[in-house]
């Protein structure tokens, strides 16, 4: 499992990840959640769907 705890601020509207080798060429299920900048609050996570990382 791969987690990102220090991602960009929400206003950046994007996050780019480089997948570790053990997560490449697999079907991944993606969830998202938000944490306040001061870490005082957090959202519930939401399932975004699956991503196919298989290549050719």
């Amino acid at each position: 499992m791969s987690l990102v705890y220090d991602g960009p601020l929400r206003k950046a509207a994007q996050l780019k990840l480089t997948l570790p080798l053990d997560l490449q060429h697999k079907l991944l299920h993606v969830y998202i959640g938000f944490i306040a900048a001061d870490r005082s609050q957090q959202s519930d996570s939401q399932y975004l769907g699956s991503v196919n990382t298989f290549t050719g």
Side-chain angles (χ1 to χ4, degrees):
M1 181 185 344
S2 180
L3 299 172
V4 176
Y5 290 110
D6 60 348
L9 295 177
R10 188 174 181 179
K11 66 183 177 182
Q14 68 178 344
L15 169 67
K16 294 182 181 183
L17 297 174
T18 300
L19 292 177
L21 290 177
D22 63 327
L23 292 179
Q24 293 179 11
H25 310 291
K26 294 185 178 182
L27 180 66
L28 304 178
H29 295 274
V30 181
Y31 292 80
I32 192 169
F34 296 94
I35 300 172
D38 65 3
R39 299 193 180 271
S40 64
Q41 297 179 7
Q42 64 186 32
S43 69
D44 291 333
S45 62
Q46 283 280 239
Y47 180 67
L48 298 181
S50 60
V51 175
N52 184 346
T53 65
F54 292 96
T55 57

